[in-house]
Amino acid sequence: MSSGAAQRLQTLQRHVGFREVGGQISPPPGAKGRGMEPGSSPLTTHVLDTASGLPAQGLYLRLSRLEDRGQQWTELKKSCTDHDGRCPGLLPPGQMKAGTYKLSFDTKGYWQKRGQESFYPYVEVVFTITNETHKFHVPLLLSPWSYTTYRGS
């Protein structure tokens, strides 16, 4: 593996919480079956720029909830990814309720700041929350020509 690829891999591993123990890379403690810690946001996201292999820093996004009355989207929060591609405090504890939510990512603005042409001007991820006591993580893997999302843990 080239030194550049190894450095990107280490950065990604640190990003998701892996650590080195006795010369071995280990997942973060409690990675399996994590619950929601008191005071932590019940809804989180992080964005990885798969073209560079690094977190997508400085990507603007909006969180909205679909209201039953008239099927209108209500904006709950505007945010921007930090140096690690994350949005801390996306939804404060106690504000989550069952329903349909949408994360809208300004991918055009992100790629333009990097002097990169892209195919998708924005990405909208719509998802349903049925149990407001659970923690929900919505990662986005992003390149100028594609994106992938999934329900994380």
Side-chain angles (χ1 to χ4, degrees), residues 3-89:
S3 65
Q7 183 180 11
R8 286 191 301 275
L9 177 60
Q10 288 173 345
T11 300
L12 287 171
Q13 287 173 330
R14 281 192 310 275
H15 173 72
V16 297
F18 282 69
R19 56 194 168 82
E20 189 171 334
V21 177
Q24 299 289 326
I25 300 294
S26 300
K32 296 284 186 210
R34 282 187 292 210
M36 196 166 63
E37 292 94 31
S40 67
S41 178
L43 176 63
T44 58
T45 187
H46 78 269
V47 185
L48 295 176
D49 176 341
T50 59
S52 69
L54 299 171
Q57 178 179 358
L59 181 115
Y60 289 96
L61 62 100
R62 290 185 323 274
L63 171 65
S64 303
R65 182 174 48 232
L66 187 61
E67 300 299 335
D68 290 334
R69 300 176 306 274
Q71 294 292 299
Q72 295 288 323
W73 289 102
T74 299
E75 187 174 282
L76 302 175
K77 173 97 175 189
K78 287 183 183 178
S79 192
C80 184
T81 57
D82 64 12
H83 70 283
D84 203 27
R86 297 179 185 272
C87 289

Side-chain angles (χ1 to χ4, degrees), residues 138-150:
V138 184
L140 178 65
L141 306 176
L142 183 63
S143 89
W145 314 113
S146 67
Y147 66 90
T148 302
T149 186
Y150 56 96

Side-chain angles (χ1 to χ4, degrees), residues 66-138:
L66 187 61
E67 300 299 335
D68 290 334
R69 300 176 306 274
Q71 294 292 299
Q72 295 288 323
W73 289 102
T74 299
E75 187 174 282
L76 302 175
K77 173 97 175 189
K78 287 183 183 178
S79 192
C80 184
T81 57
D82 64 12
H83 70 283
D84 203 27
R86 297 179 185 272
C87 289
L90 192 55
L91 189 62
Q95 284 197 359
M96 181 156 33
K97 59 183 181 180
T100 302
Y101 291 77
K102 173 172 63 174
L103 282 168
S104 302
F105 299 89
D106 176 20
T107 53
K108 180 178 181 179
Y110 174 79
W111 293 115
Q112 279 182 337
K113 284 188 277 187
R114 282 146 189 80
Q116 172 71 50
E117 182 183 347
S118 67
F119 185 65
Y120 298 101
Y122 59 90
V123 170
E124 290 187 333
V125 180
V126 179
F127 53 97
T128 303
I129 292 175
T130 56
N131 187 332
E132 53 234 20
T133 64
H134 289 174
K135 182 172 174 66
F136 294 87
H137 184 62
V138 184

